[in-house]
Amino acid sequence: MKKDTILIVDDEPNVLKAVARLLRSDKYEIFTAASGAGALDLMEAHPASLIISDQRMPGMSGVELLQDIRKRYPDTIRIILTGSTGIEHAVGAINRGEVYRYILKPWHDEDFRLTVQRALERYHILEQNKRLTKEIERQNRALKEVNAHLEERVNERTRELTESYLSTVFVLAAAVEVKDPYTRGHSELVSRYASLIAREMGLSQKDKETVQVAGLLHDVGKIAIDERVLLKPAPLTDEERRLIEAHPKKAVSILERAKLPWDVIPIIKHHHEHYDGSGYPCRLKGKEIPSGARILAVADTFDAMNSQRPYREAYPKEIIVSELEQGSGSQFDPQVAASFLRVIRRDSQTIFERDRMASITFTDYLKNRI
Ligand SMILES: [Fe+2]
C-alpha cells in the first residue's frame, strides 16, 4: 500500500525534529518545512495527505498557510499546532472549515499520534467517497448510453411493426375496393377526412391515428356481403338492406382476428349510428357512440355525397354543405359537423376534389402519418 505523506511545518527546528520522531513509522512518509512559503513549494513536489502546521511563524501564519492549502489542495487534511495563546485563531479557523483540528503545545504524544491517525482515516474515507462518486457517475453515463440505444432500438422496432400492421390495413382496404369497385378510393378518402376532422378537434396523436386507420377499414365488413346484394343496381328489398346493414358487425368478426395495435373495432362497429339514436347496428345515442365513430359518420357521409355512383351524380357542393348543417344534431354530432364545416370552408377547393385528395400514395401516407 502507498504510504501516507505528512508535511510538518514549523520555524523551530526542534519542534520539527520532535514531531518527525513522534510520527516515525513504516506507514508514513514525512516531509518538513521551516516556513509557509517552504511548505507551499514542497506541496508542489509532494502533495501531502496531511499537513500539520505551527500557528506562529514569521511571514505567513499557520492559519494563513492552511487557508491557502485549502484552496490549492482541498483534499489535504489540515491540522494546526498552537500554544494556548493562539487557540482563538485556531478555533476560528476550525469553525470556518479551514482547519480540521488543532493540537495544543505542549502536546501529549499519544493524543498527537491518535489525532494524526484519525485525520488520515478521514482522508482515506473522503478519497474513497470521491472515487466511488466518480465510479457511480461513470456507470450512470454508461447506463444512460445503453438506455438511449435501447430506446432507439425499441422505437425502430415499433416503427417497423406499425408499418407492417399498416400494410395489412391497406391490403384489407384494397380487398373492399376489389369487391365493390364503385367505391374506389372511398376508404382512403374517409380516412383522410376523418384525420382532418380529428386534427381540427385537437385530438391526441394516438386518437388521430386510430381514427385514420378506422377510416381505412370502416367498410371491411363488406367483404363478407354477397356481391349480388352489394352491387345490385336496383333499389334494395328490406331483407337485402338488412344484409348490407350487417357490414359493421361483419367487420368486427374480421378485425377481431387481425389483432391490430389500434382500438378501431368499436369505431367501425358504430360508424352508422346516428347522434339521435336512429342509426344501426345498436341505435346508440349521443356520446354513447364512440367519438371516432361520430367522426367517421361525418367523413363517410360526406364522401358518399361527394362521389358519383352508377345510379346518380355527385351532389352539388352547396347541397352537401347544407346536408351537413341540417344533419347536425340528428344524424351527426354537432361538434364534429361544425369542425368539418370549418375545414371545408377553409379549403373547399381541395376538399371537394376527390382525385386530388386520393392522390396520396401508401409511402406518403406512412410519412405523413405522424
Ligand atoms: Fe359503412
Side-chain angles (χ1 to χ4, degrees):
M1 214 176 117
K2 221 183 121 211
K3 282 186 182 179
D4 283 312
T5 323
I6 303 174
L7 172 58
I8 308 157
V9 193
D10 203 307
D11 57 320
E12 286 176 49
N14 286 341
V15 175
L16 281 182
K17 250 187 235 160
V19 177
R21 202 179 317 121
L22 176 68
L23 295 179
R24 190 174 299 142
S25 140
D26 294 344
K27 290 186 286 181
Y28 307 144
E29 191 173 354
I30 299 192
F31 294 94
T32 55
S35 67
L40 288 172
D41 284 347
L42 252 175
M43 275 297 276
E44 252 180 70
H46 311 277
S49 318
L50 170 65
I51 178 164
I52 304 166
S53 172
D54 184 27
Q55 161 61 358
R56 268 177 54 180
M57 295 185 289
M60 196 185 287
S61 78
V63 168
E64 282 166 347
L65 168 65
L66 294 187
Q67 281 170 342
D68 203 346
I69 291 286
R70 184 198 189 194
K71 265 185 233 145
R72 297 188 204 200
Y73 310 95
D75 297 340
T76 299
I77 307 287
R78 302 163 301 271
I79 291 178
I80 192 104
L81 258 178
T82 177
S84 49
T85 48
I87 279 190
E88 232 173 89
H89 287 297
V91 170
I94 289 173
N95 288 344
R96 290 192 300 275
E98 293 156 2
V99 167
Y100 167 64
R101 288 277 154 81
Y102 71 83
I103 294 174
L104 196 60
K105 285 201 271 193
W107 60 80
H108 184 282
D109 282 359
E110 212 31 54
D111 278 354
F112 199 124
R113 278 201 207 97
L114 216 59
T115 304
V116 166
Q117 208 177 311
R118 293 268 175 281
L120 287 169
E121 277 166 15
R122 182 181 163 78
Y123 175 81
H124 289 297
I125 286 172
L126 292 177
E127 282 295 292
Q128 200 177 5
N129 268 354
K130 239 168 71 174
R131 263 202 312 277
L132 286 176
T133 309
K134 258 195 200 144
E135 178 59 17
I136 289 170
E137 280 169 1
R138 193 191 62 76
Q139 287 184 357
N140 273 346
R141 272 197 304 276
L143 207 63
K144 255 190 204 158
E145 249 167 63
V146 170
N147 272 345
H149 190 65
L150 208 64
E151 212 177 296
E152 218 174 87
R153 279 289 300 141
V154 169
N155 287 342
E156 200 180 308
R157 191 77 193 104
T158 308
R159 243 189 330 266
E160 284 168 11
L161 270 175
T162 310
E163 290 187 8
S164 141
Y165 277 123
L166 270 177
S167 57
T168 306
V169 167
F170 275 88
V171 167
L172 284 169
V176 181
E177 291 194 0
V178 170
K179 180 110 185 187
D180 183 359
Y182 296 126
T183 58
R184 201 173 165 71
H186 172 68
S187 304
E188 282 202 31
L189 282 166
V190 169
S191 168
R192 293 212 62 200
Y193 296 130
S195 85
L196 292 174
I197 299 172
R199 193 172 64 189
E200 180 70 16
M201 294 179 74
L203 261 58
S204 71
Q205 187 55 40
K206 176 82 192 156
D207 288 349
K208 205 175 92 178
E209 202 173 308
T210 304
V211 99
Q212 263 179 291
V213 174
L216 284 167
L217 293 177
H218 74 284
D219 273 345
V220 83
K222 287 188 178 168
I223 295 174
I225 309 286
D226 189 326
E227 276 158 57
R228 281 164 301 182
V229 179
L230 195 63
L231 306 177
K232 187 178 170 186
L236 298 176
T237 64
D238 285 352
E239 177 52 21
E240 286 165 342
R241 184 168 302 283
R242 255 196 302 282
L243 285 173
I244 295 237
E245 289 185 356
H247 78 273
K249 282 191 171 171
K250 298 275 186 201
V252 174
S253 44
I254 293 171
L255 293 173
E256 265 170 358
R257 275 170 273 178
K259 300 233 179 308
L260 297 173
W262 303 276
D263 190 20
V264 293
I265 293 181
I267 301 181
I268 292 171
K269 183 177 175 189
H270 298 293
H271 76 275
H272 281 292
E273 305 283 1
H274 287 183
Y275 198 69
D276 60 7
S278 65
Y280 65 89
C282 299
R283 302 182 73 83
L284 296 186
K285 218 179 191 171
K287 308 281 184 222
E288 289 168 3
I289 308 166
S291 74
R294 281 179 263 138
I295 292 176
L296 279 199
V298 172
D300 188 16
T301 313
F302 173 83
D303 191 56
M305 293 191 284
N306 192 40
S307 52
Q308 204 180 345
R309 291 289 148 92
Y311 47 89
R312 65 152 170 85
E313 286 298 306
Y315 289 25
K317 290 181 192 176
E318 312 73 54
I319 302 289
I320 295 178
V321 168
S322 93
E323 287 289 323
L324 288 178
E325 282 165 351
Q326 278 169 26
S328 172
S330 51
Q331 185 174 350
F332 310 123
D333 175 344
Q335 243 185 309
V336 177
S339 301
F340 195 40
L341 284 165
R342 279 200 302 277
V343 173
I344 293 176
R345 272 183 212 115
R346 259 203 315 267
D347 194 9
S348 71
Q349 285 276 316
T350 321
I351 302 285
F352 283 99
E353 270 191 53
R354 295 187 84 241
D355 287 349
R356 255 168 89 184
M357 291 295 288
S359 62
I360 197 159
T361 63
F362 181 30
T363 327
D364 290 334
Y365 189 86
L366 286 180
K367 256 192 260 155
N368 295 331
R369 197 167 53 84
I370 294 184

